[in-house]
């Protein structure tokens, strides 16, 4: 019985050499990629990533601006409600 087994990944084509006794990976050999195509692909991914980051930042910035207006409106409404309420202020003991 051999001491090692060779296995090829059906997805990426990586060749793995496994120890028969322990099942541990002794070595792996990945297939060579075309460097020109991968460089162009990497550059397009970087440029697309920067566009996504800019869009996400703009969206978060707009949300923050709207949040400030919303909080101001809520605060004004709470002040108005507090001014209209003529009863004594509630204490934490009143909530029990």
């Amino acid at each position: 019985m051999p001491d090692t087994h060779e296995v090829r990944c059906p997805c990426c084509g990586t060749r793995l050499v496994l120890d028969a006794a322990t099942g541990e990976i002794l070595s792996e050999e990945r297939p060579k990629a075309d460097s020109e195509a991968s460089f162009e692909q990497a550059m397009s991914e970087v440029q697309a990533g920067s566009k996504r980051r800019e869009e996400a930042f703009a969206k978060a910035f707009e949300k923050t601006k709207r949040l400030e207006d919303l909080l101001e409106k809520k605060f004004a409404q709470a002040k108005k409600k507090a001014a209209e309420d003529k009863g004594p202020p509630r204490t934490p003991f009143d909530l029990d």
Side-chain angles (χ1 to χ4, degrees):
M1 184 165 158
D3 292 340
T4 61
H5 295 288
E6 182 179 318
V7 179
R8 288 214 180 260
C9 176
C11 298
C12 64
T14 301
R15 184 179 74 89
L16 301 171
V17 177
L18 307 171
D19 182 31
T22 62
E24 294 291 322
I25 297 174
L26 299 176
S27 68
E28 71 176 75
E29 187 178 311
R30 295 177 188 252
K32 302 272 189 242
D34 185 20
S35 61
E36 291 178 24
S38 64
F39 178 75
E40 295 296 326
Q41 182 182 9
M43 285 301 295
S44 65
E45 288 175 4
V46 167
Q47 290 170 348
S50 67
K51 290 178 186 176
R52 281 194 311 265
R53 284 189 300 277
E54 289 175 11
E55 290 172 1
F57 177 77
K59 195 181 296 184
F61 183 74
E62 287 299 318
K63 184 178 179 183
T64 302
K65 285 171 60 176
R66 284 185 271 134
L67 179 64
E68 186 175 326
D69 293 338
L70 178 65
L71 289 175
E72 286 181 20
K73 289 178 184 177
K74 285 184 176 185
F75 182 68
Q77 185 68 25
K79 280 178 37 177
K80 181 180 173 185
K81 185 177 177 184
E84 291 173 356
D85 190 13
K86 299 296 181 190
R90 295 194 312 180
T91 64
F93 298 112
D94 293 338
L95 299 175
D96 285 337

